[in-house]
Amino acid sequence: MNPFILSMMISNLALGTIITAASYHWFMAWVGLEMNTLAIIPILAKQHHPRATEAATKYFIIQMTASSIILFSSIFNAYHTGTWNITQLTTHPTPSLLTIALAMKLGLVPMHFWLPEVMQGVNTMTALIITTWQKLPPMFLLYLTANQLPMVILLLLAISSTLISGWSGLNQTQLRKIMAYSSIGHLGWMFAILSTSQKLLLFTLTMYLLMTIPIFLILITSTTKTIKDLGMLWTTSPTSCTMTMIIFMALGGLPPLSGFLPKWLILEELTTNHLIPLATTLTLTSFLSLMFYMRLTYNTTLTV
């Protein structure tokens, strides 16, 4: 891709996210989401490969469907309330529709099937953008509307995402698919705390980004794509191999690493709010995710 066109696409990607984050009007938030989606489609398809084209098509269809639901719910809410303010979700179907649409954009269970396939169809750098930057616009909207979203739907999405992500990740050998299921699992934890503590939501999101970005940078520099490639990383770069093992364990939430802190705080907050069954369920389902992270670490240490 021409460097000028690529820089323009990345600028529009950033601009769309900024418009969504700074907007209190539903139409402007929708415009930001559309700019963000349209800017990343050429980036997804820039490899001129059938799998990249398929990934871009899947991404476009899912994002356009979710954006249409958001626009419909905002028009429906504005029709009944007379306001386009994002924080005024008083009409009954609107919060539920908005939650489902944003969950679809993020790739939560059961609307998660597109995310691993799209991640596998693009290169590692583009997969990094999908799992980090592309999560920010929907998360901003969730943050603004957190107190008005239906808690039952949020908790169901959280439990199903942590369970399915851990279960599905056990069967994968492609690292990009594993990171996709890792993203789904961490988003499940964020949804669990969304209606209870927005500050803890931002902290968990920040920690997820700080752990995910270094992993992808290591995978990009070492051209590692599968678990088998990961097992050969020690021979080329022992330092990168060691860092990879530590970050994988942190992503799994193994104490006393950094990834354990947000999960610990989330469990403490849920327990304080008398949501002990939810906290217990999240703890049990997180063991599945921890298992496939430990499997990755074990495969990495086989050649040491």
Side-chain angles (χ1 to χ4, degrees):
M1 182 181 289
N2 187 294
F4 175 74
I5 297 176
L6 180 61
S7 63
M8 184 175 67
M9 292 296 104
I10 293 175
S11 300
N12 286 331
L13 198 68
L15 180 60
T17 303
I18 293 170
I19 290 175
T20 302
S23 183
Y24 280 90
H25 191 284
W26 272 117
F27 183 75
M28 291 305 299
W30 176 79
V31 169
L33 291 172
E34 291 304 294
M35 286 184 61
N36 187 272
T37 300
L38 294 175
I40 200 175
I41 296 301
I43 299 176
L44 295 176
K46 69 179 181 179
Q47 290 181 328
H48 303 292
H49 189 274
R51 295 203 66 177
T53 305
E54 180 185 356
T57 304
K58 287 180 179 178
Y59 188 86
F60 176 78
I61 292 173
I62 291 295
Q63 297 298 316
M64 288 297 108
T65 303
S67 295
S68 300
I69 297 174
I70 292 173
L71 185 61
F72 170 77
S73 62
S74 61
I75 292 174
F76 187 82
N77 186 71
Y79 176 78
H80 285 276
T81 62
T83 177
W84 286 84
N85 196 320
I86 288 179
T87 58
Q88 300 296 323
L89 298 177
T90 55
T91 310
H92 174 61
T94 303
S96 300
L97 288 173
L98 180 65
T99 305
I100 293 171
L102 293 176
M104 185 184 297
K105 272 190 168 293
L106 290 168
L108 269 80
V109 175
M111 292 82 68
H112 70 289
F113 297 101
W114 63 271
L115 183 57
E117 298 302 322
V118 170
M119 291 271 287
Q120 186 60 28
V122 299
N123 59 30
T124 312
M125 177 59 75
T126 310
L128 169 62
I129 297 174
I130 293 173
T131 52
T132 54
W133 188 264
Q134 291 302 96
K135 304 297 182 187
L136 296 180
M139 292 304 295
F140 286 137
L141 293 179
L142 287 168
Y143 179 82
L144 290 174
T145 59
N147 294 325
Q148 303 176 65
L149 300 179
M151 190 172 184
V152 175
I153 296 179
L154 292 175
L155 297 185
L156 286 175
L157 290 170
I159 293 173
S160 58
S161 295
T162 53
L163 175 63
I164 299 299
S165 65
W167 208 339
S168 302
L170 290 171
N171 302 322
Q172 303 301 325
T173 58
Q174 298 291 328
L175 290 176
R176 279 168 292 180
K177 282 191 175 182
I178 289 174
M179 293 307 296
Y181 286 114
S182 170
S183 172
I184 295 169
H186 281 86
L187 287 171
W189 282 86
M190 295 178 208
F191 265 59
I193 202 62
L194 179 60
S195 59
T196 308
S197 173
Q198 287 76 52
K199 291 182 180 180
L200 194 50
L201 165 70
L202 293 179
F203 176 69
T204 307
L205 178 62
T206 303
M207 292 301 298
Y208 165 73
L209 295 176
L210 290 177
M211 291 183 291
T212 302
I213 292 173
I215 280 288
F216 271 103
L217 293 179
I218 293 173
L219 298 182
I220 292 168
T221 54
S222 61
T223 63
T224 302
K225 295 181 179 180
T226 65
I227 293 180
K228 183 179 179 181
D229 297 337
L230 192 63
M232 301 300 294
L233 185 59
W234 179 266
T235 58
T236 56
S237 178
T239 304
S240 297
C241 183
T242 305
M243 289 298 299
T244 302
M245 290 188 289
I246 293 173
I247 299 173
F248 273 137
M249 288 292 95
L251 278 170
L254 187 71
L257 300 175
S258 57
F260 173 69
L261 181 58
K263 294 184 178 181
W264 180 25
L265 293 176
I266 288 173
L267 293 176
E268 182 182 9
E269 184 69 24
L270 293 175
T271 305
T272 303
N273 287 275
H274 307 290
L275 295 171
I276 297 177
L278 174 62
T280 305
T281 305
L282 288 176
T283 303
L284 294 175
T285 54
S286 68
F287 289 141
L288 289 170
S289 299
L290 181 59
M291 182 150 186
F292 75 70
Y293 287 119
M294 292 183 68
R295 174 168 158 254
L296 286 172
T297 306
Y298 174 72
N299 279 276
T300 307
T301 56
L302 286 178
T303 56
V304 178

